[in-house]
Amino acid sequence: MNDSDFSVPDDFPRSETPGMVAGAHPKLLLARFQGRFYAPGCTPPEIHHRWDTCEDLAQQLVQKSLESKAGKRAHMDEKEILDQYCLRLLKTGWGTDAEMRWVIRRTAAILGWPVPDSALTEVG
């Protein structure tokens, strides 16, 4: 296996916070994969797995969004529908906030709908 087996879109969020261990001397936590070192949770297979899970969620939200727009949320515009889903996703703990906002941006891209502000910036 090589890194290309774990390709992920460039816009998918990646952790930029390396693990640290307390003590008198600074220590950096790293994970090794194919001779390279990565922050914990950031090896190519780990990022690919998180992306695959988020991509699957986005695909599910595409169908759910279309059903909502044709049904009980027919009175709402697309941006409002995705905004509601984004705010709910951010509360689930299913991934990082950045990943959940990526899911909504990906859903919007697939549908050709506008991206809600809540999927672009930190909420709160």
Side-chain angles (χ1 to χ4, degrees):
M1 273 187 195
N2 59 46
D3 288 354
S4 65
D5 296 330
F6 302 107
S7 62
V8 173
D10 290 338
D11 69 334
F12 187 75
R14 288 155 174 83
S15 174
E16 295 187 17
T17 306
M20 301 296 278
V21 178
H25 300 287
K27 298 162 195 78
L28 181 64
L29 293 176
L30 296 173
R32 188 174 182 173
F33 176 74
Q34 295 184 344
R36 292 185 180 166
F37 293 96
Y38 300 87
C42 294
T43 65
E46 290 167 320
I47 292 174
H48 185 268
H49 176 73
R50 289 198 333 266
W51 165 78
D52 189 50
T53 300
C54 289
E55 178 67 23
D56 181 62
L57 183 54
Q59 296 293 334
Q60 291 177 47
L61 281 175
V62 166
Q63 187 60 38
K64 184 75 172 158
S65 298
L66 291 171
E67 290 169 2
S68 290
K69 183 63 180 166
K72 65 182 178 180
R73 291 186 178 87
H75 64 284
M76 297 171 70
D77 68 31
E78 291 94 355
K79 199 172 186 177
E80 291 173 311
I81 292 169
L82 292 178
D83 184 56
Q84 284 191 354
Y85 286 133
C86 185
L87 296 175
R88 289 179 188 162
L89 278 177
L90 289 168
K91 294 178 183 177
T92 64
W94 291 345
T96 66
D97 286 357
E99 288 169 348
M100 295 301 100
R101 286 191 296 272
W102 181 88
V103 166
I104 295 299
R105 291 192 305 271
R106 176 71 176 135
T107 302
I110 294 167
L111 290 167
W113 290 7
V115 176
D117 291 343
S118 59
L120 297 173
T121 59
E122 295 286 331
V123 177

